[in-house]
């Protein structure tokens, strides 16, 4: 039998027709199954969590059939209470599926502690000030004492306590400086 006779035979055409019908039925069943299992058209709205405590945020997410995942703590933000939500992903009002994970970022309990760097003593105020400010510290009261080095940093202190290299202070702490005035003692 030649190939052309086989392709034009009734048996071959019946088999092709059966295959096409099977593919169409299979696709129809698959699409219906996907509609049911993916809850097509069912959405939950992401609530506003920013500024709320962890427990309140968790309750709100459970009420909306969503799951909370704590992503990280960020840099301390004084505009929000300690351990409250400062960011969320997806954003407020986003339509998501049930049991979707909502990632939140928490506000830590305070500013991060920074080390006092070495080599600040016996440097000029002009050299020390940018180093301290770059670390997040603030320059407080400046006191001058008799010392031949004009504007040379002789001592660092915080709330009356002398600071040494390696001591830890919270970021944004105020550091007082004792400088030389250029006069001989």
């Amino acid at each position: 039998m030649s190939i052309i006779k086989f392709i034009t035979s009734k048996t071959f055409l019946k088999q092709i027709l059966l295959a096409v019908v099977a593919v169409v039925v299979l696709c129809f069943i698959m699409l219906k199954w996907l509609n049911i299992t993916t809850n097509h058209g069912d959405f939950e709205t992401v609530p506003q969590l920013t500024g709320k405590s962890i427990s309140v945020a968790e309750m709100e997410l459970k009420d909306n059939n969503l799951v909370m995942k704590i992503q990280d703590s960020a840099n301390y933000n004084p505009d929000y209470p300690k351990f409250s939500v400062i960011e969320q992903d997806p954003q407020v009002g986003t339509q998501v599926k049930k049991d979707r994970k909502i990632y939140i970022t928490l506000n830590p309990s305070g500013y991060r502690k920074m080390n006092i760097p070495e080599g600040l003593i016996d440097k000029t105020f002009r050299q020390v000030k940018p180093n301290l400010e770059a670390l997040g510290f603030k320059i407080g009261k400046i006191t001058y004492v008799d010392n031949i080095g004009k504007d040379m940093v002789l001592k660092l202190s915080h709330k009356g306590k002398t600071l040494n290299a390696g001591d830890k202070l919270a970021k944004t702490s105020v550091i007082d400086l004792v400088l030389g005035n250029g006069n001989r003692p």
Side-chain angles (χ1 to χ4, degrees), residues 72-91:
D72 197 5
S73 292
N75 288 331
Y76 180 71
N77 186 339
D79 299 336
Y80 293 100
K82 294 176 182 179
F83 304 116
S84 66
V85 178
I86 58 175
E87 287 180 16
Q88 69 184 66
D89 184 39
Q91 296 299 318

Side-chain angles (χ1 to χ4, degrees), residues 126-176:
R126 188 173 168 193
Q127 292 171 315
V128 171
K129 183 181 179 200
N131 285 341
L132 292 175
E133 288 175 343
L135 292 171
F137 298 119
K138 295 180 181 170
I139 304 297
K141 188 172 81 174
I142 297 174
T143 310
Y144 288 93
V145 296
D146 287 340
N147 188 292
I148 197 160
K150 183 162 176 53
D151 289 333
M152 183 180 291
V153 176
L154 303 173
K155 181 175 140 187
L156 301 157
S157 64
H158 174 68
K159 295 184 180 178
K161 181 182 173 254
T162 301
L163 297 173
N164 298 311
D167 289 349
K168 289 188 176 267
L169 272 183
K171 210 172 179 181
T172 72
S173 294
V174 177
I175 296 178
D176 299 325

Side-chain angles (χ1 to χ4, degrees), residues 89-132:
D89 184 39
Q91 296 299 318
V92 178
T94 304
Q95 299 284 318
V96 296
K97 295 287 185 178
K98 182 177 122 178
D99 294 329
R100 166 79 187 266
K101 292 177 186 167
I102 307 300
Y103 296 94
I104 62 172
T105 304
L106 297 178
N107 197 22
S109 62
Y111 287 106
R112 187 173 54 175
K113 298 241 182 205
M114 304 294 290
N115 285 331
I116 301 295
E118 292 198 27
L120 297 179
I121 304 297
D122 294 335
K123 299 274 189 199
T124 64
F125 175 69
R126 188 173 168 193
Q127 292 171 315
V128 171
K129 183 181 179 200
N131 285 341
L132 292 175

